Amino acid sequence: GLAITVVGCSNPIKNSRSITIASTPSGAHVLASGVEIGVTPLTIVPDEVFAPQFVGFSYRAVGTLNIKKNGCETFSEQVNDAVLSKDINVKLVCDSRARTLPAKTSTPHPAPSTSIEQRLRRLQQLHDQGLISDDEYRSIRKRILSAL
């Protein structure tokens, strides 16, 4: 009986139940405590992504869930057992201009009234806000500088 109690206390039983994380619009990047785990819609096993930790007198899920999509505000929530007990559906607040602009512009160069310096500063702001990825930042920066 003692061996079972010791094993039970040192190894919490993991729950293999899965939940779905979805967003509107879909295709948003999902981060669990700062680590990207996929793109919405995404099915996860909460105990594998947010490993339970000993809090007070029991094991509980802890961490932060972030959902990011270019042109949208980042959704952020502290997770716990209650949050992870059901599917998560998030409606992202997006900039209406981002939804109506075409994915790629037909002209590769900026309007003459926008200076290279202004474009680089704006690009840096978008990157700092997490609205564009590192790869997008490098690619766009390269295009801006090639116009010199």
Side-chain angles (χ1 to χ4, degrees):
L2 181 61
I4 293 171
T5 302
V6 170
V7 171
C9 289
S10 64
N11 296 320
I13 297 171
K14 295 229 178 193
N15 186 346
S16 62
R17 168 190 57 79
S18 64
I19 64 168
T20 299
I21 300 172
S23 68
T24 303
S26 62
H29 296 270
V30 180
L31 291 87
S33 299
V35 176
E36 185 165 345
I37 58 171
V39 175
T40 60
L42 176 67
T43 300
I44 66 165
V45 175
D47 287 348
E48 291 176 4
V49 176
F50 296 99
Q53 297 178 12
F54 196 69
V55 179
F57 295 103
S58 64
Y59 283 94
R60 296 183 188 158
V62 294
T64 304
L65 173 69
N66 290 310
I67 301 176
K68 297 181 176 185
K69 184 164 179 81
N70 288 342
C72 302
E73 291 181 17
T74 298
F75 170 84
S76 184
E77 181 172 26
Q78 293 294 318
V79 297
N80 56 38
D81 293 334
V83 170
L84 298 172
S85 68
K86 59 189 178 299
D87 290 342
I88 299 170
N89 294 297
V90 174
K91 181 172 172 60
L92 297 173
V93 177
C94 300
D95 183 357
S96 61
R97 292 172 294 169
R99 284 184 272 140
T100 58
L101 290 175
K104 294 188 178 185
T105 59
S106 57
T107 57
H109 299 291
S113 64
T114 305
S115 76
I116 301 272
E117 182 181 352
Q118 288 170 325
R119 292 184 70 212
L120 289 171
R121 288 184 191 279
R122 179 67 178 138
L123 179 64
Q124 185 66 49
Q125 289 173 343
L126 293 172
H127 184 257
D128 292 346
Q129 294 171 352
L131 297 174
I132 60 172
S133 69
D134 291 339
D135 290 338
E136 291 169 321
Y137 171 80
R138 284 189 291 272
S139 173
I140 296 168
R141 188 174 192 279
K142 186 176 178 180
R143 259 190 284 150
I144 293 170
L145 293 175
S146 70
L148 287 174

